[in-house]
Amino acid sequence: MYNMKNNPVRNTLNPAYFPMQKAYIGMPLFSGISVSFTNSGFTYSDLIKKDSDDSLYIDVANAINSMKGENLINVNTQIDLFNAGIVIGKKYFVGISAAERVHMNLLYNKDLFGFAYYGNEAYLGEEANIEIKLDATHFREYAISFATELTDKFSVGTRLKYLYGMENVSTKKTSIHLYTDPTTFAITASGNIGINTSGLSNFSDTENFNMNQYLFGKSNSGFAFDFGVQAKPVKNLILSAAVTDLGSIKWKDDAINYNAAHVNNEFTFSGIDINELLGADDIEQALTDYADSLASQFFLDTTYYSYTSTLPFSFSSGIQYNLTKKISTGLLYQGYSFRDYLSSTLSANLAITLGKKFNSNVVYSMGNNGRSALGLGIGLTFLQMHWYLVSDNVMAFVKPQEAKSTSIRTGILMTFGK
Amino acid sequence: MRFHRLILFFFLTSVFFISCVKDDFDFDKIKSPTWQPGVAVPLVGSSLTLENVISKTGNTQFGSFDGNNFCTLIYSKDLYSVGAEDFFQLPKLQNNKSIVIDPIISSQINNIGTITFNAEEYISIPANINATIDSIEFKGGQLEFTASSDFKHHIVMDVTIPGATKNGVAFNKIINLTYNGQVPVSKTISVSLAGYNFNLHKGSQIGKIQIKYKITATATGNPVSGSEVISMALEMDNMKFSRAFGYFGVNSIGSGLDTIPVELLKDGQSIGGFSVDDPKFILKLSNSFGIPTRVDVPSIKSLGGTGNSINLATSLPIPLSLPSPGMNQIGETLYTQYVLDKTNSNIVPFVENNPTHILYNVMIGTNPNGPTANFITDQSKISASLTMELPLNGSIKDFSMIDTVDFELKDEEMIESLLLRMSFKNGFPIEFGSKIYFIDANNSVVDSLLCDQPQLISSANVNSAGVVVSSVQKTTDVLVDRSFVNRIAKAKRIVYILNSSTANQGNSHVKIYGHYKMDVNIGAIAKLKVTP
C-alpha cells in the first residue's frame, strides 16, 4: 500500500504522503480493516506433516529445527472507526482518524521449545536460555495528521495519536537460564520473571462489567506519533522515509504486577541433601518441606502498581522511480521493532496507476526470516467510492500451510476532488 | 472468450489448491502425537561427614571426637541401679489399743461428775529391711486415728505424739466422743504426714513412736456396767520419706547374675570379622546413700552370637572402692570408676567376640563394717554402669546388611529407558558394594541390579598408619531398558544388600576421623514416552 498512489490512507504508513484526492472520508467501520499474522519460527507445514498413509502427524522436532534462535509471533488487527482527510490549498493536508487496534507480539527462543520437547538431556553441559517477551495490547487510537510541502521537492508530515488503553499483558525481562551438569545432572537455574497485566478482570468478572466504563472510562492513556518525509530530488524519483507508532501507554486501571520473589538469584539443585533428612522424625514430611523450600525459589510476588508499555514501532525507507506516467517501480525497506527484535523486509515493487480509477501494485519481498513473498494490491475508484485490497503475501491464501506471514487490508472510502 | 477461459483457469486452480489445503488442515487425520523427552534429574547430592551424621541424628552420646577429630564410638549400658525407695520402704502400720477403766473409778463417775486418766503406748515403725531408725522426715503419707467408746458418758481424748513435730510443734489432736444415746461412740481423724519429723524413741523403746493419751470422762447420769472399753486404732499408710537417719543394717542389694543385650548389630546385619586396636571399658560406680557399702563385680562376660563366652578377666580389686557421703555431704553423689583396657583385661577378644549379650554380676552390701550412723534421702541411689569406648581404629571385613522394602512401579509405561548414574567421591577408608534384587509375589527374582559390580564405592587411599591421604572417586552408570522395566513391573519387593569392608577388602587397619567426607551424587536420565 506504501506505493499505491491512489490510496488516500497510505499516509498512515508515511504521514508525509499527500492523497491524490482533494478530500476523503472513510465509511465508518469499513474505511479500513487489516489483519496480519507472522510466525517467524515455523510454518504450519513445518509442524504438521503428511504421512505415507495420507494421515497427518505432528513433527515438533522439525518445527524446532526450523526455528532461529529468537522468533516472533506477531498478530496485528486494526479496525478504522473513522477516517477523513482534506488537502488545504496545495501545500497542506489535515486528517483525523480513530481506530480500534489489537497487537500481540510474542518473542520466543528456540530453547523454549527445545527444552520442553527434548528435555534437559539435550542440554547437558550447556545452558538452556528460555526467554519469553510478550506484549499483547488492545487500545483505541485517536489521531490527527498534518502534512505540508515545504518545497516543490520536499514534504514532511506527522501524526499525533492519543491512545486509550483497554487491555494489556506484557512481560518485563522474563527469562530462565537452566544449566544441567553433564556428570551429576545438578540443575542450576537463574533468571527473572516479571509480568504486568491490566484490564484482565473484565474477562473474569463479567457481573460487574460496565460497557460505558469499559469503552470510555478507563484511565489508561498514552501518546504516540508518526513522522515521515518525502523528497523528489530529480524528476520522477521519489525518496521517502517514515517512522510510525513511537509511543507508550501508561496502565493504571486494574494493573497487576507479578514478579519473581528471588530476582536473578542463582539456585542449584544437586539432589536431595541427605543431611537435611538426617534425624527427621517424619521423612515424608521432611521431603515435603524440602520440596516446598525448593518451590519457594520460584514464587511470584503480586503488586498492584501502574506501569508503562511501549508500542512496537515501524519504520520504512523507500525509493520510487516513475518509469512512465502510469508505471513506477522502486525499492522499499520496512522494519518492525519489538523490544530488541527487528523484523526487516526489503521489497521491490511495480505499480501501475491508471488515473484515479485503478491502481495496482505488485511487490516481491524478502524478509530476514529468509522467506520471500509475493504481494498484490489493487485500488478501484467508482464514482466517489474508493475500494482497496492489499496483501503482502498472496500465496499465503493459496498455501497457508507454508506461509510464515501474511496480511490483508481492505477498506472503502469516499473520495472527493482533484 | 479469452476472459471466460481466464476465469475458468482461476476457478479450477483455486479448487485444486483449496482441496489440497483442506486435506492439510483436516485435524481429524492427525495421529496422536508422542513426546519423548529425556529428563535428567539429580536425585541425591550430599556431602556427608561422620561428625555431621552423628550431630544431625542426635546420637552425640554414641560418638565423640578428640582434638584431632579422631572418632570414638561410645556405647553405654546401665548394669545395676537401686534407689532409696527401692532399698528402704515403710509398709502400712496398724496398731490397736484398748483401755478398760477401773470399775471402781468408773462407778463413781456419776457422783464425781468428771474423771480424767492417762495412758501411753510405744509403736514400732515397720520397715522392709533390718534397720534401727532414729528419725524420719516425711514428705507424704496419711495418719488415721479412730477412737471408740461404749461408755454411756461423754469422752474427750487428747492424743499427743511428742516425737512427731511439724514446724517445731508436737502432734496433738483432741477427739470428742459425745454420748448421744447409742454406743459405741466412734470418731476418726485423718492427718497428712507431709512435713512431720518423727524422732523415734531411744533407750528401752528404741526406734518406736511414743503416743500419749489423756482421757476425760464427763457423767451423763447413765449407769456404768464396769466392763466398758475405750479403744484406739492407729493406721499409717503410704508413708513417703524425704530423709531417714539411723542404722540401716547389713543388707545385700546387688543385681545377682544378669544379662544385658548388646545391639552392635541389628537384625539383617552380619559381619565377617573385625578387629579393634584399643577398646576400653569404663566401669562407673556412683553412690549417694549415706551408708558404707561394699561393691564386688566378680564377673563380666561377653556372649557371642555363636555362643562363645569370653570373660573380661579383669584385674579389678575385691572389693571395689565406692565411697559414701558423710553427714556433711547429704544430697551429694560420690563416684569412682575403673578403666579396663588391653593392659589390664581381656578386652580385645572380649569385643572381637562380637557380643550379643553381656553377662555380669554386681554385688552390693551395706554396712560391711558394722553399725555406724547412716542416712538416706529419697534421691539416694547406688548405680553401676559400663561404658564401651571403641576408638575407630581397626578393620572390618564383610559387614553386610540386608533389608526388604515393598515396591510398586507406577506409570512404567512412560519409561523407555533409565540411566542411573551413581558417583561417589569417598574420603572414608571404607569400600562399599551393593546388590539389588527385584522379587515378585512368588518370591522369585525377576531381575537384579549391580550384581556384576563388586564395588560401588571405592575406599579412599590410606597410608601405613591407616589415615586417609586422598579421596577416590568412582562413578557407576546403570542403564536399564524397556524390557528391564517390563520385568521389574511385576516385582512386589526389593531386597537390597549392602556390603562394606575397610580398605583393601578389610585387610588394612584404618582410622576414622570426623572430617572424613563422602560426596554423594546420584542422578538419573529418564527417557520418557508421553502420549497426551
Side-chain angles (χ1 to χ4, degrees):
Chain A
M1 194 169 81
Y2 193 90
N3 290 310
M4 292 174 69
K5 294 177 186 174
N6 265 2
N7 193 326
V9 292
R10 70 169 183 151
N11 68 356
T12 56
L13 303 178
N14 187 339
Y17 282 159
F18 274 57
M20 289 180 70
Q21 299 83 353
K22 179 73 174 174
Y24 66 88
I25 182 165
M27 301 285 285
L29 297 178
F30 295 102
S31 58
I33 298 173
S34 67
V35 178
S36 68
F37 170 80
T38 299
N39 180 4
S40 68
F42 58 93
T43 65
Y44 178 88
S45 62
D46 289 332
L47 180 66
I48 308 292
K49 296 269 189 189
K50 190 172 277 188
D51 217 340
S52 54
D53 60 358
D54 207 34
S55 61
L56 302 176
Y57 66 95
I58 298 173
D59 192 346
V60 179
N62 186 61
I64 293 171
N65 286 339
S66 303
M67 293 177 195
K68 291 185 176 176
E70 194 168 43
N71 308 278
L72 175 70
I73 292 177
N74 164 253
V75 178
N76 277 321
T77 64
Q78 178 170 335
I79 299 173
D80 291 347
L81 303 173
F82 177 74
N83 208 339
I86 185 168
V87 177
I88 301 170
K90 289 187 176 179
K91 294 191 174 181
Y92 301 101
F93 166 76
V94 176
I96 57 173
S97 64
E100 205 75 13
R101 294 178 62 181
V102 176
H103 69 235
M104 192 282 286
N105 290 282
L106 172 65
L107 268 177
Y108 62 92
N109 64 351
K110 192 173 183 174
D111 284 353
L112 172 67
F113 286 86
F115 194 86
Y117 185 70
Y118 294 114
N120 62 335
E121 182 194 11
Y123 292 84
L124 291 178
E126 60 183 272
E127 190 169 80
N129 297 304
I130 298 168
E131 283 192 70
I132 294 177
K133 295 171 186 169
L134 171 70
D135 186 275
T137 306
H138 172 202
F139 63 102
R140 192 178 307 129
E141 170 189 295
Y142 300 97
I144 180 166
S145 306
F146 178 74
T148 182
E149 278 185 7
L150 296 177
T151 69
D152 289 346
K153 295 181 178 178
F154 189 73
S155 60
V156 297
T158 188
R159 178 176 296 103
L160 303 177
K161 304 172 179 178
Y162 167 75
L163 310 177
Y164 172 75
M166 297 166 88
E167 288 97 17
N168 174 259
V169 178
S170 61
T171 62
K172 294 192 287 186
K173 185 166 180 61
T174 296
S175 61
I176 296 172
H177 311 286
L178 292 163
Y179 175 81
T180 306
D181 186 280
T183 305
T184 64
F185 311 143
I187 297 171
T188 300
S190 65
N192 193 7
I193 296 173
I195 303 169
N196 293 320
T197 70
S198 174
L200 298 191
S201 62
N202 292 334
F203 300 107
S204 56
D205 185 15
T206 52
E207 283 186 9
N208 296 316
F209 182 74
N210 182 318
M211 181 61 82
N212 196 50
Q213 163 72 16
Y214 175 69
L215 291 176
F216 305 106
K218 286 179 177 284
S219 50
N220 307 318
S221 59
F223 293 93
F225 74 95
D226 305 340
F227 180 76
V229 296
Q230 179 182 244
K232 300 172 183 172
V234 295
K235 189 179 179 184
N236 293 325
L237 182 67
I238 302 166
L239 303 176
S240 63
V243 60
T244 59
D245 285 339
L246 282 172
S248 63
I249 299 173
K250 183 156 191 177
W251 301 89
K252 295 179 181 175
D253 270 13
D254 189 24
I256 305 175
N257 328 106
Y258 304 97
N259 291 296
H262 301 279
V263 178
N264 290 326
N265 189 16
E266 186 171 287
F267 170 76
T268 298
F269 176 60
S270 302
I272 294 169
D273 185 354
I274 296 170
N275 289 300
E276 299 291 330
L277 306 181
L278 289 174
D281 293 331
D282 184 345
I283 293 289
E284 199 169 327
Q285 184 59 46
L287 282 170
T288 303
D289 294 344
Y290 197 77
D292 289 346
S293 168
L294 290 176
S296 70
Q297 298 293 323
F298 302 100
F299 281 168
L300 295 179
D301 289 336
T302 304
T303 55
Y304 301 91
Y305 298 117
S306 61
Y307 64 93
T308 300
S309 69
T310 56
L311 299 184
F313 67 94
S314 303
F315 53 96
S316 57
S317 179
I319 180 170
Q320 192 72 10
Y321 187 77
N322 295 326
L323 298 172
T324 68
K325 199 172 181 179
K326 295 178 180 175
I327 300 172
S328 65
T329 186
L331 292 171
L332 177 66
Y333 169 81
Q334 289 176 299
Y336 180 80
S337 175
F338 170 64
R339 306 279 169 92
D340 53 355
Y341 182 85
L342 176 64
S343 171
S344 297
T345 306
L346 183 64
S347 56
N349 79 298
L350 182 68
I352 301 172
T353 306
L354 301 176
K356 299 175 189 174
K357 302 290 186 187
F358 179 77
N359 192 188
S360 69
N361 193 28
V362 180
V363 180
Y364 179 78
S365 61
M366 290 194 69
N368 62 348
N369 60 14
R371 293 268 174 144
S372 58
L374 180 67
L376 288 176
I378 58 171
L380 293 172
T381 303
F382 180 70
L383 299 176
Q384 300 300 319
M385 303 291 285
H386 179 83
W387 169 74
Y388 65 93
L389 176 66
V390 295
S391 171
D392 62 5
N393 185 8
V394 291
M395 291 306 291
F397 298 97
V398 179
K399 299 189 82 173
Q401 67 271 38
E402 292 183 3
K404 279 193 171 176
S405 66
T406 190
S407 69
I408 187 166
R409 179 170 179 141
T410 187
I412 300 173
L413 302 109
M414 295 185 69
T415 58
F416 307 96
K418 220 167 188 177
Chain B
M1 191 64 186
R2 285 174 60 190
F3 182 72
H4 287 154
R5 284 180 183 170
L6 190 64
I7 293 291
L8 184 62
F9 171 76
F10 277 115
F11 176 75
L12 292 175
T13 306
S14 299
V15 168
F16 172 74
F17 278 119
I18 287 168
S19 63
C20 292
V21 168
K22 192 182 171 191
D23 268 0
D24 286 350
F25 287 87
D26 185 355
F27 297 123
D28 290 338
K29 294 168 70 176
I30 295 181
K31 291 176 183 171
S32 185
T34 300
W35 177 38
Q36 291 184 294
V39 180
V41 185
L43 300 175
V44 176
S46 289
S47 195
L48 301 171
T49 64
L50 189 60
E51 199 170 22
N52 205 20
V53 170
I54 287 174
S55 68
K56 287 264 189 177
T57 52
N59 291 328
T60 48
Q61 73 272 30
F62 296 131
S64 74
F65 300 91
D66 66 12
N68 296 320
N69 228 6
F70 178 71
C71 183
T72 298
L73 287 186
I74 297 172
Y75 189 80
S76 289
K77 278 285 183 183
D78 287 335
L79 295 180
Y80 181 69
S81 176
V82 61
E85 290 180 352
D86 299 322
F87 171 67
F88 180 61
Q89 295 152 9
L90 297 168
K92 187 175 185 178
L93 181 157
Q94 286 180 305
N95 184 74
N96 294 306
K97 182 177 177 61
S98 296
I99 299 173
V100 178
I101 304 175
D102 186 338
I104 298 170
I105 297 173
S106 62
S107 62
Q108 297 299 315
I109 189 167
N110 284 324
N111 300 326
I112 301 169
T114 298
I115 57 173
T116 298
F117 56 92
N118 296 313
E120 68 171 7
E121 64 176 330
Y122 292 88
I123 302 170
S124 294
I125 288 187
N128 65 318
I129 57 171
N130 178 25
T132 304
I133 307 303
D134 292 340
S135 66
I136 303 174
E137 293 173 13
F138 284 100
K139 64 178 181 181
Q142 206 70 21
L143 181 152
E144 201 170 270
F145 199 93
T146 301
S148 179
S149 164
D150 53 7
F151 264 89
K152 294 178 180 175
H153 302 274
H154 304 312
I155 302 293
V156 175
M157 186 180 293
D158 185 345
V159 182
T160 304
I161 306 176
T165 58
K166 185 174 183 179
N167 300 321
V169 179
F171 178 94
N172 177 255
K173 295 290 173 188
I174 292 176
I175 305 169
N176 289 305
L177 300 174
T178 304
Y179 177 67
N180 55 8
Q182 286 187 324
V183 289
V185 180
S186 296
K187 193 161 191 181
T188 300
I189 59 168
S190 184
V191 177
S192 169
L193 287 171
Y196 272 99
N197 182 18
F198 277 58
N199 282 301
L200 305 183
H201 205 268
K202 297 179 175 61
S204 60
Q205 298 293 342
I206 188 166
K208 293 184 178 178
I209 306 169
Q210 181 192 28
I211 304 176
K212 290 182 175 179
Y213 306 97
K214 180 182 176 184
I215 299 166
T216 302
T218 303
T220 59
N222 287 306
V224 175
S225 69
S227 60
E228 288 88 346
V229 175
I230 297 172
S231 57
M232 287 79 74
L234 174 69
E235 186 174 298
M236 291 171 70
D237 198 9
N238 297 318
M239 287 180 280
K240 301 289 180 191
F241 65 90
S242 54
R243 299 200 299 180
F245 297 85
Y247 172 62
F248 289 88
V250 178
N251 294 287
S252 175
I253 52 175
S255 67
L257 193 61
D258 207 347
T259 64
I260 49 173
V262 180
E263 296 163 344
L264 290 177
L265 295 178
K266 297 180 179 172
D267 286 347
Q269 297 177 345
S270 64
I271 197 163
F274 72 99
S275 66
V276 287
D277 278 4
D278 191 18
K280 285 190 180 78
F281 274 164
I282 299 169
L283 178 65
K284 186 179 281 187
L285 305 171
S286 67
N287 182 18
S288 51
F289 276 91
I291 305 172
T293 54
R294 172 192 168 111
V295 179
D296 293 314
V297 183
S299 71
I300 302 176
K301 291 180 181 176
S302 98
L303 186 61
T306 59
N308 190 28
S309 168
I310 292 185
N311 199 334
L312 194 54
T314 68
S315 57
L316 290 172
I318 300 174
L320 302 177
S321 165
L322 177 58
S324 56
M327 287 295 175
N328 59 346
Q329 293 173 301
I330 295 174
E332 293 182 23
T333 302
L334 303 185
Y335 298 92
T336 188
Q337 67 178 34
Y338 295 90
V339 177
L340 306 173
D341 57 24
K342 60 187 178 184
T343 65
N344 63 2
S345 72
N346 213 7
I347 191 167
V348 172
F350 182 97
V351 172
E352 291 178 356
N353 189 38
N354 187 16
T356 59
H357 290 81
I358 293 177
L359 283 71
Y360 63 94
N361 186 5
V362 178
M363 298 167 65
I364 300 173
T366 59
N367 291 310
N369 300 320
T372 58
N374 301 161
F375 71 86
I376 57 173
T377 74
D378 55 348
Q379 302 298 317
S380 293
K381 191 164 86 170
I382 295 176
S383 63
S385 66
L386 194 63
T387 297
M388 181 170 71
E389 290 188 359
L390 204 59
L392 292 184
N393 178 7
S395 64
I396 294 175
K397 203 165 198 170
D398 294 329
F399 168 75
S400 71
M401 55 183 288
I402 181 168
D403 205 352
T404 305
V405 291
D406 290 337
F407 175 76
E408 184 184 6
L409 190 61
K410 293 179 180 173
D411 299 325
E412 79 278 3
E413 67 277 3
M414 285 178 58
I415 301 171
E416 279 296 281
S417 66
L418 185 73
L419 172 73
L420 194 63
R421 174 166 294 169
M422 293 165 284
S423 179
F424 301 90
K425 187 177 181 185
N426 188 11
F428 286 86
I430 303 171
E431 56 199 30
F432 297 88
S434 181
K435 293 174 183 172
I436 299 172
Y437 296 96
F438 296 87
I439 310 293
D440 67 10
N442 301 318
N443 287 329
S444 300
V445 175
V446 294
D447 215 323
S448 62
L449 279 178
L450 299 170
C451 289
D452 57 345
Q453 301 274 344
Q455 254 186 30
L456 185 65
I457 306 171
S458 299
S459 163
N461 296 315
V462 296
N463 61 18
S464 57
V467 177
V468 168
V469 291
S470 63
S471 299
V472 171
Q473 178 145 12
K474 183 172 173 64
T475 300
T476 303
D477 282 353
V478 177
L479 179 64
V480 298
D481 57 12
R482 180 68 225 168
S483 60
F484 178 89
V485 173
N486 287 338
R487 286 194 295 277
I488 67 167
K490 300 170 193 161
K492 300 296 179 191
R493 288 175 297 133
I494 290 178
V495 176
Y496 66 87
I497 301 170
L498 182 69
N499 189 280
S500 64
S501 298
T502 49
N504 300 316
Q505 293 85 47
N507 293 317
S508 294
H509 271 228
V510 300
K511 292 180 177 175
I512 306 292
Y513 288 86
H515 57 264
Y516 285 170
K517 187 175 75 167
M518 185 193 290
D519 295 334
V520 182
N521 286 291
I522 301 175
I525 297 179
K527 199 79 178 173
L528 305 178
K529 185 176 184 180
V530 183
T531 304

